[in-house]
Amino acid sequence: MESSAMALVLWLVVLGVVAGTGSGAEVGGTIGFSTLGRLSYNFDVYTLQLDGVLGGGDGWVEETRVTLGESVSYNGQLVEGRWGSAVVERLRRQGHELAAGSGALELLLYVSEVEGSPQLYLDIPLQGSKGENLVTRRRRPIALREAEGANGAPKAYLNDRPSMNGDTIIFVSTEEDVGKRLQGWNAVYSLDFKTSVTKRLTPPGVTDYSPAVSPSGEWVAAVSNEGRGWKREIEALDLDLYVFKAEDGSQRRMVVRNAGWPSWADESTVYFHRLAEDGWWSIFKANASDTSANQEAERVTPPGVHAFTPAASRTGKWIAVATRRTSIRHIEIFDLQAKKFLPITAHINPSTNHYQPFVSPSSDKLGYHRCRGIDKDDGTMDFRVEYQVSPLPGVSVVRVAGSFPVISPDGSLFAYVDSGDDSADLAVMKLDGSQKRVVWNRGKGYGTNWDPTGRGTVYVTEGRAFAALGTEERIVAIHNADTANLDGDETSSSYKYLTKEGTKNNAFPAPSPDGKYVVFRSSRFGHKNLYIMDAVDGEEKYLRRLTEGPWRDTMPAWSPDNEWIAFSSNRVHPTGERSYSLYLIHPNGTGLHMLLDTGIGGLAMHPHFSPDGKKIVFTSDWAGVSAEPITFPHSYQPYGTIFVINIDGTGLTRITHNAYEDGTPTWGNLPLSKAAVSKEGKRTACAFDDVWFINNTAHGDLQARSGQCQRRWDPYMRLPAQVGSSYLQM
């Protein structure tokens, strides 16, 4: 990375660095995966002046975009006054050409994925060319942490919700493995940007979320499960409100139970959100100075409207909140004295979701983030492939549009399911995301795999994911997928059914390395077990049962050396709570053993072998959730995370760190650099929904009543029966 001119401050790294894959990139290949809904939006941080709103003025101040229109930027905080001035003066002393008058101009702390993982940035008003827009062009994001792992590979962990505390940044990070399965890695840290010293403020083995710093900078409020672990809750996490010293994490104590997203109004008053007993998300407040063990929080916002993610003003007269009155999330101000809401963003962008309000320390400016959408002056494209930071030296990691991406044997192509409103086409594109073309469009499909011999065949399941045991689903071989519908090429794909009609639920085909056989899952005898059939003529020519039992064996993958078939199964806990662990078995049916035990309620799904057959990539809820789910858009299973493990069960490595649902990974034999990613695609249309579970609360039929339903990213997810089921458990 290119270092800044600040010789004594290691945490400032000028943005614009291209994250490479290292000198050994050519040996590791590329891991590709899908993320539910993520590529359908790009966030920017916006602010607006409150003088005309709160002062009774006639004028309306329009919002201003304060981030640079790249990737996803969110969870902003304004830095002003003595803290902002101190940073500006330090930068000037180090030779930075700051914009004129920037000593009094607030700085912006925020989170961005512009470099391929959620990291912290501080936007500084730098000197720009004449006529350049001050807000959007003279600000240059500067990374707060230069984080590198073993062998120079950059770390990919999530850093989130930053606050400035004098010369210190308080934030939450997934940097350290908590050491327990089914528990979030989140912990609160402080970073001294004078010395570059980072301190963990959260005790070992404990998971903290959503930290906020008191006005004096002395205290931190955070919500925590205090080591209880994650019990698979999504809608409202089982968290309690704690406070502790910002200096070293000492004097930690619980303030109130059942809380989320704290915000300080003064040194003793903390606002937070909670799902109330009557089914409405509401804002409550507690006294952080109260040391009694049974403090009762006071409800602030009334039932009848969902309100969450509070941001308290320093005036003590109002708080900013996000609300859900229809299917759209908006920012409003709640007058604490009049007990009334004042709509803000509904007047500016009525059809756009807005998230996480924040208030300037002087309480004269309001901020939030929203999808920047389609702007006639904005050339941003909706990428089909998005480069990610990889923690594995020599291995590229990319997020892929659609679902079930698989990489061709030569490493040059992705085949994937491109879901629309009424169909799910099988599409093919180059590894960099360019030259997309549809090669099969006969209806719903999932569970794709390339023939490894280079014949250009893609195997796919024809049917709807999550279907019942008795549902008719068939395995299809689609031929010439590598050459079908190429520009100037009249060659078309053909297809052949490999499973017979009436054999119930057949899915997840995975071919052998010699291309002679396909292993797949079938419910033809009452339970989902694994079978092997002929790869060309299907079960008409050859069929053999590989596993048998009253459980669910599913999602098989065949190793490149023909030694193993990996699969997911709930055979340890076949009844009651779902529990899917990873298993290995030889193709001849011997050597069955568990590779990774996820425990009761855990999930390890969609295994795929590395090109050398020595590792397996898969998706799992092993690391719990990395942020409060209500603070992000629609994602049914925000605990989906990509992991890699050696075939001997060692070396479990977390690949993705975010608050989304990552799943259906693949691993090809060619690396992909960030510079090579194509910009082909459509302009960002913000085709996503707010969180699904608000519609399922006691008073949450807002979407049906509003008539303002947005198009869902994936049509599979619209059915009530599918709620809670997604990439992890098909």
Side-chain angles (χ1 to χ4, degrees), residues 578-708:
R578 59 181 182 175
S579 302
Y580 284 86
S581 296
L582 285 185
Y583 290 81
L584 290 174
I585 189 173
H586 290 304
N588 64 5
T590 65
L592 174 68
H593 66 279
M594 182 187 291
L595 178 66
L596 178 68
D597 183 3
T598 60
I600 297 177
L603 297 173
M605 318 291 277
H606 300 289
H608 196 103
F609 283 92
S610 61
D612 62 5
K614 296 180 180 179
K615 299 179 183 293
I616 293 174
V617 62
F618 63 100
T619 184
S620 177
D621 61 357
W622 185 276
V625 294
S626 296
E628 294 186 60
I630 197 169
T631 65
F632 278 82
H634 160 70
S635 183
Y636 282 116
Q637 297 185 146
Y639 43 82
T641 302
I642 307 300
F643 284 86
V644 165
I645 192 171
N646 297 328
I647 61 170
D648 63 1
T650 64
L652 182 66
T653 302
R654 183 174 180 177
I655 303 299
T656 61
H657 293 244
N658 56 60
Y660 315 127
E661 179 185 343
D662 296 333
T664 61
T666 183
W667 201 331
N669 61 11
L670 293 180
L672 179 69
S673 69
K674 182 177 182 179
V677 172
S678 170
K679 294 185 178 180
E680 287 186 19
K682 61 183 179 181
R683 304 193 76 170
T684 305
C686 299
F688 69 96
D689 287 336
D690 196 30
V691 289
W692 59 270
F693 50 72
I694 290 181
N695 296 332
N696 298 330
T697 59
H699 303 278
D701 56 339
L702 303 174
Q703 185 167 314
R705 288 189 277 115
S706 71
Q708 299 183 26

Side-chain angles (χ1 to χ4, degrees), residues 460-688:
V460 67
T461 306
E462 183 186 67
R464 185 185 292 275
F466 319 116
L469 289 173
T471 303
E472 178 78 7
E473 301 206 330
R474 302 179 69 182
I475 306 298
V476 186
I478 301 170
H479 305 300
N480 305 317
D482 56 341
T483 58
N485 302 326
L486 285 170
D487 293 340
D489 192 332
E490 298 300 325
T491 303
S492 297
S493 62
S494 59
Y495 64 93
K496 181 177 182 177
Y497 288 102
L498 301 184
T499 54
K500 297 178 182 179
E501 287 189 78
T503 54
K504 299 184 181 179
N505 193 317
N506 303 288
F508 295 107
S512 60
D514 59 7
K516 294 181 179 180
Y517 302 100
V518 169
V519 61
F520 64 103
R521 178 204 78 193
S522 179
S523 65
R524 60 187 61 209
F525 293 116
H527 300 285
K528 290 181 177 180
N529 293 142
L530 302 184
Y531 296 78
I532 294 177
M533 65 179 171
D534 186 80
V536 177
D537 297 315
E539 64 174 293
E540 286 280 3
K541 181 175 181 180
Y542 177 82
L543 181 68
R544 172 168 61 91
R545 190 167 188 168
L546 182 62
T547 65
E548 182 175 357
W551 43 67
R552 294 186 177 186
D553 299 333
T554 188
M555 305 174 189
W558 212 311
S559 68
D561 58 6
N562 201 36
E563 282 295 312
W564 296 105
I565 291 174
F567 64 97
S568 298
S569 179
N570 69 340
R571 55 179 55 217
V572 172
H573 306 284
T575 61
E577 190 172 7
R578 59 181 182 175
S579 302
Y580 284 86
S581 296
L582 285 185
Y583 290 81
L584 290 174
I585 189 173
H586 290 304
N588 64 5
T590 65
L592 174 68
H593 66 279
M594 182 187 291
L595 178 66
L596 178 68
D597 183 3
T598 60
I600 297 177
L603 297 173
M605 318 291 277
H606 300 289
H608 196 103
F609 283 92
S610 61
D612 62 5
K614 296 180 180 179
K615 299 179 183 293
I616 293 174
V617 62
F618 63 100
T619 184
S620 177
D621 61 357
W622 185 276
V625 294
S626 296
E628 294 186 60
I630 197 169
T631 65
F632 278 82
H634 160 70
S635 183
Y636 282 116
Q637 297 185 146
Y639 43 82
T641 302
I642 307 300
F643 284 86
V644 165
I645 192 171
N646 297 328
I647 61 170
D648 63 1
T650 64
L652 182 66
T653 302
R654 183 174 180 177
I655 303 299
T656 61
H657 293 244
N658 56 60
Y660 315 127
E661 179 185 343
D662 296 333
T664 61
T666 183
W667 201 331
N669 61 11
L670 293 180
L672 179 69
S673 69
K674 182 177 182 179
V677 172
S678 170
K679 294 185 178 180
E680 287 186 19
K682 61 183 179 181
R683 304 193 76 170
T684 305
C686 299
F688 69 96

Side-chain angles (χ1 to χ4, degrees), residues 14-15 68 88 91-92 95-100 102 105-107 122-129 132-142:
V14 178
L15 187 72
L68 295 179
V88 167
L91 291 171
R92 280 205 174 103
H96 289 276
E97 296 183 15
L98 304 186
S102 59
L105 186 66
E106 77 276 350
L107 312 178
L122 179 65
D123 271 15
I124 308 295
L126 300 182
Q127 185 66 47
S129 60
E132 196 175 21
N133 183 282
L134 176 63
V135 174
T136 61
R137 300 305 176 203
R138 290 186 183 176
R139 291 183 185 269
R140 294 294 185 263
I142 299 179

Side-chain angles (χ1 to χ4, degrees), residues 2-254:
E2 179 185 352
S3 300
S4 73
M6 299 183 66
L8 299 180
V9 185
L10 298 179
W11 58 272
L12 288 176
V13 181
V14 178
L15 187 72
V17 176
V18 175
T21 55
S23 59
E26 65 276 8
V27 301
T30 294
I31 293 174
F33 65 94
S34 297
T35 301
L36 186 64
R38 166 57 189 83
L39 289 180
S40 61
Y41 62 84
N42 291 284
F43 282 145
D44 269 309
V45 178
Y46 293 77
T47 63
L48 54 82
Q49 292 288 343
L50 287 172
D51 298 345
V53 180
L54 300 178
D58 297 330
W60 184 265
V61 179
E62 294 184 354
E63 65 181 2
T64 300
R65 192 181 75 185
V66 293
T67 49
L68 295 179
E70 299 174 301
S71 186
V72 172
S73 298
Y74 58 97
N75 285 354
Q77 291 291 323
L78 290 172
V79 181
E80 60 183 23
R82 57 187 176 88
W83 293 344
S85 299
V87 174
V88 167
E89 287 305 312
R90 187 173 295 110
L91 291 171
R92 280 205 174 103
R93 287 197 300 270
Q94 298 300 328
H96 289 276
E97 296 183 15
L98 304 186
S102 59
L105 186 66
E106 77 276 350
L107 312 178
L108 178 71
L109 270 172
Y110 64 103
V111 184
S112 181
E113 298 179 18
V114 68
E115 284 299 309
S117 68
Q119 297 295 317
L120 308 183
Y121 293 88
L122 179 65
D123 271 15
I124 308 295
L126 300 182
Q127 185 66 47
S129 60
K130 185 177 181 180
E132 196 175 21
N133 183 282
L134 176 63
V135 174
T136 61
R137 300 305 176 203
R138 290 186 183 176
R139 291 183 185 269
R140 294 294 185 263
I142 299 179
L144 290 176
R145 306 189 75 199
E146 183 174 6
E148 293 190 356
N151 302 319
K155 292 184 179 179
Y157 47 78
L158 175 150
N159 292 328
D160 196 6
R161 212 186 175 197
S163 296
M164 180 71 81
N165 177 22
D167 288 332
T168 303
I169 306 295
I170 303 295
F171 61 100
V172 67
S173 178
T174 59
E175 178 176 351
E176 298 178 74
D177 185 348
V178 74
K180 303 176 183 178
R181 61 190 176 191
L182 299 185
Q183 182 164 333
W185 292 18
N186 303 58
V188 178
Y189 295 81
S190 67
L191 172 67
D192 188 319
F193 62 79
K194 283 184 176 179
T195 63
S196 299
V197 173
T198 301
K199 295 180 182 178
R200 180 184 173 115
L201 305 182
T202 299
V206 172
T207 302
D208 284 346
Y209 296 89
S210 310
V213 181
S214 68
S216 69
E218 183 179 0
W219 295 96
V220 174
V223 288
S224 176
N225 62 26
E226 201 63 13
R228 295 190 299 268
W230 177 61
K231 303 300 189 296
R232 305 190 58 79
E233 72 275 11
I234 301 176
E235 179 175 352
L237 300 183
D238 180 17
L239 304 174
D240 304 322
L241 178 63
Y242 283 77
V243 296
F244 46 85
K245 285 285 190 176
E247 181 181 4
D248 56 9
S250 64
Q251 301 185 37
R252 182 184 178 98
R253 56 185 173 81
M254 189 183 74

